[in-house]
Amino acid sequence: MVEVPDATPRIRRNTAAIDDSLATVGRHNIGMLLQQLSRDFERRARATLRARGHTRLQPSHQVVFASLGRSGTRLTDLAQRASMTKQAMGQIVDDLERLGYVERTPDPDDGRAKLVRFTAAGLDFVCDAAEVLAEIWRDYAELLGEAELEQLQETLRKLLRGARSQPRAASTRASS
């Protein structure tokens, strides 16, 4: 016979407190909603971009495309904009360079540094991606309305700015 572990919380709580906790987890789990929307967005974007021939790109490559300037950007700046280490960004840039979307060229302002720049294939991807993003935006606007979608985007940006400026670990609050 298999023994079923006791489902009693480690800290003694009454049934009402447990029920309230379960309701809170379901009602206030914005992370799950954001994750599900992110997956939907990724699914739509990847399917359309693959149909346009961009079959080897991965979601991790987005950080470069979102941060790379037209005239090129230093790897350290790309990493900083994406809140990543230089090493992690370097691996993504290496991958995109192998795929032919970016290249490294000497920085005309500093002979020791290199700029990461789009290749012709990279610029083609950016144009395709912009069209795909506009298609997804139209799909979502049909669901919410243009004004509400604009407001949602601004609200998410505001939330992200605030979260980045005041990072707090859950354990910090639990001990206060």
Side-chain angles (χ1 to χ4, degrees), residues 17-36:
I18 293 170
D19 289 343
D20 284 348
S21 295
L22 288 169
T24 298
V25 168
R27 185 175 55 244
H28 292 271
N29 195 344
I30 191 172
M32 183 175 287
L33 288 173
L34 293 171
Q35 186 178 54
Q36 289 171 347

Side-chain angles (χ1 to χ4, degrees), residues 138-169:
R138 285 190 296 274
D139 290 346
Y140 287 169
E142 284 181 26
L143 296 171
L144 295 178
E146 186 74 27
E148 194 169 342
L149 186 57
E150 290 277 354
Q151 182 60 49
L152 174 61
Q153 181 169 292
E154 186 51 39
T155 299
L156 290 172
R157 284 185 178 136
K158 183 178 178 182
L159 180 60
L160 182 59
R161 281 191 305 270
R164 284 182 173 164
S165 68
Q166 296 180 339
R168 279 188 172 179

Side-chain angles (χ1 to χ4, degrees), residues 13 31 35 56 82 91 121 148 169:
R13 294 185 174 102
Q35 186 178 54
R56 297 173 62 200
Q91 289 177 344
E148 194 169 342

Side-chain angles (χ1 to χ4, degrees), residues 49-83:
L49 288 167
R50 284 177 185 247
R52 292 182 180 206
H54 304 286
T55 58
R56 297 173 62 200
L57 290 172
Q58 299 299 318
S60 61
H61 296 144
Q62 288 180 46
V63 295
V64 173
F65 291 110
S67 303
L68 188 54
R70 174 92 162 104
S71 58
T73 307
R74 289 183 183 179
L75 184 69
T76 53
D77 294 333
L78 288 173
Q80 184 179 17
R81 290 176 192 170
S83 300

Side-chain angles (χ1 to χ4, degrees), residues 21 25 42 54 56 94 102 110 112 114 133 156:
S21 295
V25 168
E42 283 296 321
H54 304 286
R56 297 173 62 200
D94 288 345
V102 299
D110 182 351
R112 300 167 297 156
K114 298 260 186 194
L133 292 175
L156 290 172

